Amino acid sequence: MAANNSPLPDGVTKEQAFGMAETEMEYRVELFNRLSQTCFSKCVDKRYKESELNMGENSCIDRCVSKYWLVNGLVGQMLSAGGQRPM
């Protein structure tokens, strides 16, 4: 932390911090869009029969999202560990 009570780490300018935050936000939006698209196409019938999701579709989406987040976390751990297997 910088000694001047700045919330930014030493050596990071405001512009760099905004750039990093913007990149992180773009990543999160892309991740959400991919997750939504993947789980929707996997779990929801192409021929809409009802205005709401049925029990099977709800369960499928719940499992799909859980697995997607789990795998995303594992990949993040592997990347931050330099390619080593996470525990």
Side-chain angles (χ1 to χ4, degrees):
M1 239 344 130
N4 63 0
N5 293 332
S6 172
L8 300 175
D10 289 333
V12 176
T13 66
K14 245 185 190 179
E15 291 78 22
Q16 289 172 323
F18 281 123
M20 290 186 295
E22 185 177 12
T23 301
E24 178 69 17
M25 188 63 168
E26 289 170 358
Y27 164 74
R28 295 288 176 171
V29 168
E30 182 182 337
L31 177 67
F32 176 79
N33 288 337
R34 273 189 278 132
L35 177 134
S36 299
Q37 183 179 9
T38 299
C39 293
F40 184 85
S41 25
K42 178 181 178 185
C43 297
V44 178
D45 191 6
K46 307 298 179 256
R47 295 166 283 133
Y48 300 116
K49 300 173 191 162
E50 303 166 1
S51 61
E52 295 184 12
L53 297 174
N54 63 38
M55 183 74 83
E57 292 168 334
N58 269 324
S59 297
C60 180
I61 288 174
D62 187 45
R63 284 190 310 273
C64 180
V65 169
S66 294
K67 288 178 184 178
Y68 203 99
W69 280 119
L70 177 68
V71 169
N72 186 57
L74 291 173
V75 169
Q77 287 177 4
M78 287 178 71
L79 289 175
S80 66
Q84 297 175 357
R85 292 190 149 215
M87 296 181 129

